[in-house]
Amino acid sequence: MAFILLFSVVILTIAATVFIITRPIAETPTPATSELPEGSHLQVNTTADDFENLANQLISNSMKGSKIPVKMYVDEQVTLSGTLPVFDMDLPIVMTFEPTIVNGNLLLKQKTIEVGMLDIPPATALKLLKDSVELPNWMVIQPKEEQIYINLTEMKIPLGDNLEGRVQAKEFNLKENRIILDVVIPKK
């Protein structure tokens, strides 16, 4: 009797896992692009290393003290790495993306994915990431489209004295290590 009960629990756990992983993926809409406030425009020429540092700082600040689920690396491509909590295990996940600019925001189109030693489809891995990790509201995971939309125009850059700037991308050329951002400092 105990064997049948244990066997049933194992089968139900496997079936539930397969169901969660293979259920249909709903389309995630791309958020509307915000109008930047009126103010002074400051064009910032930066490198991949500096953008990586800025992005990780903003992710960390947006997570408000909780454990940072992902870390961004920027070189000739954009890489996100972190862990996916599955049952009582943390699976390492590494995803690489090809960035493009859409209305001043970054669209990261997925190139490769590694989830531990599992071979799962990219859309499923992104769905698992979306369901298990709470990211800042300006990072929108779109599993069906196999992409992540980084809504730069929604990011608030702290400038001191209760002043927050806004940013949009003008150029994102990783091959030449040149990133140009337009930072808007609002009028008081």
Side-chain angles (χ1 to χ4, degrees):
M1 187 68 166
F3 172 75
I4 292 173
L5 182 63
L6 181 61
F7 183 72
S8 298
V9 168
V10 169
I11 294 298
L12 284 174
T13 303
I14 291 171
T17 303
V18 169
F19 173 75
I20 289 171
I21 290 176
T22 60
R23 70 180 178 216
I25 299 171
E27 195 169 309
T28 305
T30 300
T33 302
S34 298
E35 285 293 320
L36 294 176
E38 285 189 33
S40 302
H41 289 256
L42 177 67
Q43 189 170 6
V44 178
N45 294 326
T46 187
T47 63
D49 289 337
D50 292 335
F51 183 82
E52 174 184 307
N53 186 35
L54 174 66
N56 285 319
Q57 274 295 61
L58 290 170
I59 291 171
S60 176
N61 291 345
S62 297
M63 301 309 292
K64 295 182 178 75
S66 64
K67 182 182 173 203
I68 300 171
V70 294
K71 185 154 175 80
M72 181 182 288
Y73 300 96
V74 183
D75 44 35
E76 289 188 10
Q77 59 195 4
V78 175
T79 304
L80 291 176
S81 71
T83 57
L84 280 176
V86 178
F87 299 114
D88 285 337
M89 299 179 349
D90 285 336
L91 290 176
I93 182 168
V94 177
M95 300 176 286
T96 60
F97 298 92
E98 186 66 40
T100 56
I101 297 175
V102 177
N103 296 328
N105 297 307
L106 281 181
L107 180 65
L108 304 178
K109 195 71 174 158
Q110 189 167 12
K111 288 174 57 177
T112 64
I113 188 160
E114 298 172 19
V115 182
M117 297 182 72
L118 300 176
D119 184 24
I120 59 177
T124 302
L126 282 172
K127 184 175 183 329
L128 284 172
L129 183 65
K130 180 180 180 179
D131 292 344
S132 63
V133 174
E134 188 166 329
L135 292 170
N137 62 349
W138 43 266
M139 286 183 79
V140 180
I141 297 177
Q142 299 173 314
K144 191 171 186 175
E145 297 82 3
E146 297 181 7
Q147 63 191 21
I148 296 177
Y149 186 79
I150 299 183
N151 201 351
L152 294 175
T153 58
E154 285 297 314
M155 295 169 68
K156 293 180 172 65
I157 310 290
L159 300 174
D161 293 335
N162 295 325
L163 189 63
E164 294 177 331
R166 303 286 284 281
V167 67
Q168 67 180 347
K170 292 294 186 184
E171 183 177 348
F172 209 85
N173 187 338
L174 296 178
K175 288 183 175 55
E176 294 180 17
N177 197 22
R178 186 174 63 234
I179 299 171
I180 300 174
L181 302 173
D182 182 27
V183 179
V184 179
I185 301 168
K187 293 179 181 177
K188 285 191 174 186

